[in-house]
mmCIF file of all heavy atoms in Angstrom:
data_model
loop_
_atom_site.group_PDB
_atom_site.id
_atom_site.type_symbol
_atom_site.label_atom_id
_atom_site.label_comp_id
_atom_site.label_asym_id
_atom_site.label_seq_id
_atom_site.Cartn_x
_atom_site.Cartn_y
_atom_site.Cartn_z
ATOM 1 N N LEU A 235 19.298 -0.355 5.034
ATOM 2 C CA LEU A 235 18.046 0.370 5.176
ATOM 3 C C LEU A 235 17.648 0.474 6.649
ATOM 4 O O LEU A 235 18.066 -0.341 7.475
ATOM 5 C CB LEU A 235 16.930 -0.328 4.399
ATOM 6 C CG LEU A 235 17.108 -0.425 2.889
ATOM 7 C CD1 LEU A 235 15.995 -1.280 2.276
ATOM 8 C CD2 LEU A 235 17.147 0.959 2.238
ATOM 9 N N LYS A 236 16.819 1.456 6.962
ATOM 10 C CA LYS A 236 16.336 1.677 8.319
ATOM 11 C C LYS A 236 14.969 1.028 8.472
ATOM 12 O O LYS A 236 13.974 1.500 7.907
ATOM 13 C CB LYS A 236 16.251 3.171 8.610
ATOM 14 C CG LYS A 236 15.751 3.506 10.004
ATOM 15 C CD LYS A 236 15.626 5.009 10.196
ATOM 16 C CE LYS A 236 15.076 5.337 11.571
ATOM 17 N NZ LYS A 236 14.899 6.807 11.750
ATOM 18 N N ASN A 237 14.906 -0.045 9.230
ATOM 19 C CA ASN A 237 13.636 -0.734 9.446
ATOM 20 C C ASN A 237 12.649 0.217 10.130
ATOM 21 O O ASN A 237 12.988 0.871 11.116
ATOM 22 C CB ASN A 237 13.858 -1.978 10.310
ATOM 23 C CG ASN A 237 12.644 -2.885 10.336
ATOM 24 O OD1 ASN A 237 11.692 -2.713 9.587
ATOM 25 N ND2 ASN A 237 12.690 -3.893 11.197
ATOM 26 N N GLY A 238 11.428 0.292 9.572
ATOM 27 C CA GLY A 238 10.427 1.202 10.106
ATOM 28 C C GLY A 238 10.587 2.628 9.630
ATOM 29 O O GLY A 238 9.818 3.512 10.025
ATOM 30 N N GLY A 239 11.569 2.854 8.747
ATOM 31 C CA GLY A 239 11.876 4.209 8.309
ATOM 32 C C GLY A 239 10.921 4.760 7.269
ATOM 33 O O GLY A 239 10.215 4.017 6.584
ATOM 34 N N TYR A 240 10.934 6.075 7.159
ATOM 35 C CA TYR A 240 10.164 6.809 6.161
ATOM 36 C C TYR A 240 11.169 7.424 5.190
ATOM 37 O O TYR A 240 12.114 8.097 5.624
ATOM 38 C CB TYR A 240 9.321 7.892 6.837
ATOM 39 C CG TYR A 240 8.596 8.816 5.884
ATOM 40 C CD1 TYR A 240 7.599 8.338 5.035
ATOM 41 C CD2 TYR A 240 8.877 10.183 5.858
ATOM 42 C CE1 TYR A 240 6.909 9.191 4.178
ATOM 43 C CE2 TYR A 240 8.186 11.050 5.018
ATOM 44 C CZ TYR A 240 7.214 10.545 4.170
ATOM 45 O OH TYR A 240 6.540 11.400 3.322
ATOM 46 N N TYR A 241 10.984 7.172 3.892
ATOM 47 C CA TYR A 241 11.969 7.570 2.891
ATOM 48 C C TYR A 241 11.392 8.567 1.893
ATOM 49 O O TYR A 241 10.219 8.496 1.511
ATOM 50 C CB TYR A 241 12.479 6.337 2.134
ATOM 51 C CG TYR A 241 13.504 5.542 2.906
ATOM 52 C CD1 TYR A 241 13.117 4.680 3.930
ATOM 53 C CD2 TYR A 241 14.868 5.647 2.620
ATOM 54 C CE1 TYR A 241 14.057 3.951 4.645
ATOM 55 C CE2 TYR A 241 15.810 4.923 3.333
ATOM 56 C CZ TYR A 241 15.399 4.077 4.347
ATOM 57 O OH TYR A 241 16.334 3.364 5.052
ATOM 58 N N ASP A 242 12.251 9.475 1.468
ATOM 59 C CA ASP A 242 11.925 10.453 0.432
ATOM 60 C C ASP A 242 13.180 10.666 -0.401
ATOM 61 O O ASP A 242 14.261 10.878 0.158
ATOM 62 C CB ASP A 242 11.477 11.767 1.082
ATOM 63 C CG ASP A 242 11.048 12.822 0.076
ATOM 64 O OD1 ASP A 242 10.923 12.501 -1.129
ATOM 65 O OD2 ASP A 242 10.844 13.986 0.483
ATOM 66 N N LYS A 243 13.057 10.567 -1.726
ATOM 67 C CA LYS A 243 14.204 10.708 -2.634
ATOM 68 C C LYS A 243 15.345 9.758 -2.248
ATOM 69 O O LYS A 243 16.516 10.117 -2.226
ATOM 70 C CB LYS A 243 14.704 12.157 -2.673
ATOM 71 C CG LYS A 243 13.691 13.166 -3.203
ATOM 72 C CD LYS A 243 14.289 14.558 -3.265
ATOM 73 C CE LYS A 243 13.303 15.559 -3.851
ATOM 74 N NZ LYS A 243 12.154 15.814 -2.984
ATOM 75 N N LYS A 244 14.949 8.521 -1.895
ATOM 76 C CA LYS A 244 15.883 7.434 -1.575
ATOM 77 C C LYS A 244 16.640 7.637 -0.256
ATOM 78 O O LYS A 244 17.601 6.921 0.026
ATOM 79 C CB LYS A 244 16.907 7.230 -2.703
ATOM 80 C CG LYS A 244 16.292 6.960 -4.066
ATOM 81 C CD LYS A 244 17.379 6.742 -5.104
ATOM 82 C CE LYS A 244 16.813 6.559 -6.492
ATOM 83 N NZ LYS A 244 17.867 6.342 -7.500
ATOM 84 N N LYS A 245 16.209 8.594 0.547
ATOM 85 C CA LYS A 245 16.902 8.860 1.803
ATOM 86 C C LYS A 245 15.904 8.867 2.968
ATOM 87 O O LYS A 245 14.765 9.272 2.795
ATOM 88 C CB LYS A 245 17.622 10.208 1.742
ATOM 89 C CG LYS A 245 18.748 10.254 0.729
ATOM 90 C CD LYS A 245 19.416 11.623 0.724
ATOM 91 C CE LYS A 245 20.554 11.674 -0.294
ATOM 92 N NZ LYS A 245 21.191 13.012 -0.336
ATOM 93 N N PRO A 246 16.365 8.446 4.161
ATOM 94 C CA PRO A 246 15.478 8.513 5.326
ATOM 95 C C PRO A 246 15.092 9.961 5.628
ATOM 96 O O PRO A 246 15.887 10.885 5.448
ATOM 97 C CB PRO A 246 16.325 7.928 6.460
ATOM 98 C CG PRO A 246 17.423 7.179 5.796
ATOM 99 C CD PRO A 246 17.678 7.878 4.501
ATOM 100 N N LYS A 247 13.867 10.144 6.073
ATOM 101 C CA LYS A 247 13.369 11.479 6.394
ATOM 102 C C LYS A 247 12.477 11.369 7.621
ATOM 103 O O LYS A 247 11.752 10.378 7.785
ATOM 104 C CB LYS A 247 12.571 12.041 5.211
ATOM 105 C CG LYS A 247 12.062 13.459 5.393
ATOM 106 C CD LYS A 247 11.395 13.952 4.110
ATOM 107 C CE LYS A 247 10.973 15.399 4.225
ATOM 108 N NZ LYS A 247 10.388 15.917 2.953
ATOM 109 N N ASN A 248 12.514 12.371 8.463
ATOM 110 C CA ASN A 248 11.662 12.351 9.640
ATOM 111 C C ASN A 248 10.222 12.653 9.244
ATOM 112 O O ASN A 248 9.948 13.698 8.648
ATOM 113 C CB ASN A 248 12.135 13.386 10.666
ATOM 114 C CG ASN A 248 13.443 13.007 11.316
ATOM 115 O OD1 ASN A 248 13.721 11.823 11.510
ATOM 116 N ND2 ASN A 248 14.253 13.993 11.652
ATOM 117 N N PRO A 249 9.285 11.768 9.574
ATOM 118 C CA PRO A 249 7.876 12.065 9.311
ATOM 119 C C PRO A 249 7.335 12.999 10.384
ATOM 120 O O PRO A 249 8.082 13.468 11.245
ATOM 121 C CB PRO A 249 7.224 10.684 9.381
ATOM 122 C CG PRO A 249 8.049 9.956 10.394
ATOM 123 C CD PRO A 249 9.462 10.460 10.224
ATOM 124 N N SER A 250 6.045 13.245 10.364
ATOM 125 C CA SER A 250 5.437 14.110 11.370
ATOM 126 C C SER A 250 5.529 13.475 12.758
ATOM 127 O O SER A 250 5.780 12.275 12.901
ATOM 128 C CB SER A 250 3.969 14.367 11.021
ATOM 129 O OG SER A 250 3.213 13.168 11.187
ATOM 130 N N SER A 251 5.292 14.280 13.774
ATOM 131 C CA SER A 251 5.383 13.772 15.140
ATOM 132 C C SER A 251 4.327 12.695 15.398
ATOM 133 O O SER A 251 4.596 11.710 16.080
ATOM 134 C CB SER A 251 5.225 14.921 16.147
ATOM 135 O OG SER A 251 3.992 15.594 15.954
ATOM 136 N N ILE A 252 3.116 12.858 14.846
ATOM 137 C CA ILE A 252 2.080 11.838 15.028
ATOM 138 C C ILE A 252 2.506 10.530 14.375
ATOM 139 O O ILE A 252 2.263 9.447 14.909
ATOM 140 C CB ILE A 252 0.732 12.306 14.438
ATOM 141 C CG1 ILE A 252 0.245 13.572 15.134
ATOM 142 C CG2 ILE A 252 -0.330 11.213 14.560
ATOM 143 C CD1 ILE A 252 -1.040 14.132 14.562
ATOM 144 N N ALA A 253 3.149 10.617 13.221
ATOM 145 C CA ALA A 253 3.597 9.417 12.511
ATOM 146 C C ALA A 253 4.676 8.667 13.278
ATOM 147 O O ALA A 253 4.940 7.493 12.996
ATOM 148 C CB ALA A 253 4.105 9.796 11.119
ATOM 149 N N SER A 254 5.284 9.339 14.246
ATOM 150 C CA SER A 254 6.338 8.707 15.057
ATOM 151 C C SER A 254 5.834 8.232 16.411
ATOM 152 O O SER A 254 6.619 7.779 17.247
ATOM 153 C CB SER A 254 7.490 9.708 15.262
ATOM 154 O OG SER A 254 8.009 10.145 14.010
ATOM 155 N N ASP A 255 4.525 8.314 16.626
ATOM 156 C CA ASP A 255 3.929 7.974 17.921
ATOM 157 C C ASP A 255 3.628 6.475 17.979
ATOM 158 O O ASP A 255 2.728 5.986 17.293
ATOM 159 C CB ASP A 255 2.641 8.773 18.094
ATOM 160 C CG ASP A 255 1.959 8.524 19.438
ATOM 161 O OD1 ASP A 255 2.413 7.631 20.192
ATOM 162 O OD2 ASP A 255 0.961 9.203 19.724
ATOM 163 N N PRO A 256 4.361 5.704 18.809
ATOM 164 C CA PRO A 256 4.133 4.252 18.869
ATOM 165 C C PRO A 256 2.743 3.885 19.357
ATOM 166 O O PRO A 256 2.183 2.868 18.944
ATOM 167 C CB PRO A 256 5.224 3.759 19.825
ATOM 168 C CG PRO A 256 5.649 4.957 20.598
ATOM 169 C CD PRO A 256 5.459 6.128 19.698
ATOM 170 N N LYS A 257 2.152 4.703 20.228
ATOM 171 C CA LYS A 257 0.790 4.411 20.701
ATOM 172 C C LYS A 257 -0.209 4.536 19.550
ATOM 173 O O LYS A 257 -1.138 3.721 19.414
ATOM 174 C CB LYS A 257 0.403 5.341 21.838
ATOM 175 C CG LYS A 257 -0.998 5.031 22.399
ATOM 176 C CD LYS A 257 -1.388 5.967 23.523
ATOM 177 C CE LYS A 257 -2.753 5.586 24.117
ATOM 178 N NZ LYS A 257 -3.831 5.596 23.116
ATOM 179 N N ALA A 258 -0.042 5.552 18.708
ATOM 180 C CA ALA A 258 -0.937 5.716 17.565
ATOM 181 C C ALA A 258 -0.821 4.525 16.624
ATOM 182 O O ALA A 258 -1.830 4.047 16.090
ATOM 183 C CB ALA A 258 -0.609 7.014 16.822
ATOM 184 N N ALA A 259 0.396 4.036 16.427
ATOM 185 C CA ALA A 259 0.607 2.877 15.552
ATOM 186 C C ALA A 259 -0.108 1.646 16.097
ATOM 187 O O ALA A 259 -0.770 0.903 15.358
ATOM 188 C CB ALA A 259 2.100 2.607 15.390
ATOM 189 N N THR A 260 -0.004 1.431 17.409
ATOM 190 C CA THR A 260 -0.667 0.280 18.035
ATOM 191 C C THR A 260 -2.185 0.438 18.014
ATOM 192 O O THR A 260 -2.917 -0.524 17.755
ATOM 193 C CB THR A 260 -0.180 0.110 19.478
ATOM 194 O OG1 THR A 260 1.240 -0.101 19.468
ATOM 195 C CG2 THR A 260 -0.846 -1.080 20.147
ATOM 196 N N ASP A 261 -2.665 1.650 18.266
ATOM 197 C CA ASP A 261 -4.111 1.899 18.255
ATOM 198 C C ASP A 261 -4.702 1.658 16.867
ATOM 199 O O ASP A 261 -5.799 1.093 16.735
ATOM 200 C CB ASP A 261 -4.407 3.324 18.704
ATOM 201 C CG ASP A 261 -4.195 3.531 20.200
ATOM 202 O OD1 ASP A 261 -4.029 2.530 20.926
ATOM 203 O OD2 ASP A 261 -4.177 4.701 20.635
ATOM 204 N N LEU A 262 -4.010 2.104 15.827
ATOM 205 C CA LEU A 262 -4.473 1.871 14.452
ATOM 206 C C LEU A 262 -4.514 0.382 14.157
ATOM 207 O O LEU A 262 -5.484 -0.120 13.560
ATOM 208 C CB LEU A 262 -3.544 2.572 13.451
ATOM 209 C CG LEU A 262 -3.811 2.257 11.975
ATOM 210 C CD1 LEU A 262 -5.202 2.724 11.553
ATOM 211 C CD2 LEU A 262 -2.735 2.882 11.086
ATOM 212 N N TRP A 263 -3.492 -0.347 14.566
ATOM 213 C CA TRP A 263 -3.440 -1.794 14.360
ATOM 214 C C TRP A 263 -4.642 -2.477 15.025
ATOM 215 O O TRP A 263 -5.330 -3.292 14.403
ATOM 216 C CB TRP A 263 -2.132 -2.343 14.927
ATOM 217 C CG TRP A 263 -1.928 -3.806 14.704
ATOM 218 C CD1 TRP A 263 -2.463 -4.833 15.443
ATOM 219 C CD2 TRP A 263 -1.147 -4.422 13.667
ATOM 220 N NE1 TRP A 263 -2.049 -6.053 14.939
ATOM 221 C CE2 TRP A 263 -1.242 -5.826 13.854
ATOM 222 C CE3 TRP A 263 -0.371 -3.927 12.634
ATOM 223 C CZ2 TRP A 263 -0.594 -6.733 13.027
ATOM 224 C CZ3 TRP A 263 0.289 -4.830 11.803
ATOM 225 C CH2 TRP A 263 0.167 -6.216 11.991
ATOM 226 N N ASN A 264 -4.890 -2.111 16.277
ATOM 227 C CA ASN A 264 -5.980 -2.738 17.020
ATOM 228 C C ASN A 264 -7.345 -2.378 16.437
ATOM 229 O O ASN A 264 -8.243 -3.223 16.378
ATOM 230 C CB ASN A 264 -5.902 -2.340 18.489
ATOM 231 C CG ASN A 264 -4.715 -2.967 19.203
ATOM 232 O OD1 ASN A 264 -4.211 -4.011 18.787
ATOM 233 N ND2 ASN A 264 -4.254 -2.333 20.263
#
Side-chain angles (χ1 to χ4, degrees):
L235 298 174
K236 180 183 178 182
N237 192 10
Y240 174 64
Y241 282 78
D242 183 9
K243 297 183 177 68
K244 304 181 184 180
K245 295 180 180 178
K247 183 175 184 177
N248 290 327
S250 69
S251 58
I252 299 177
S254 302
D255 182 353
K257 182 181 183 302
T260 300
D261 287 349
L262 172 63
W263 183 279
N264 290 336

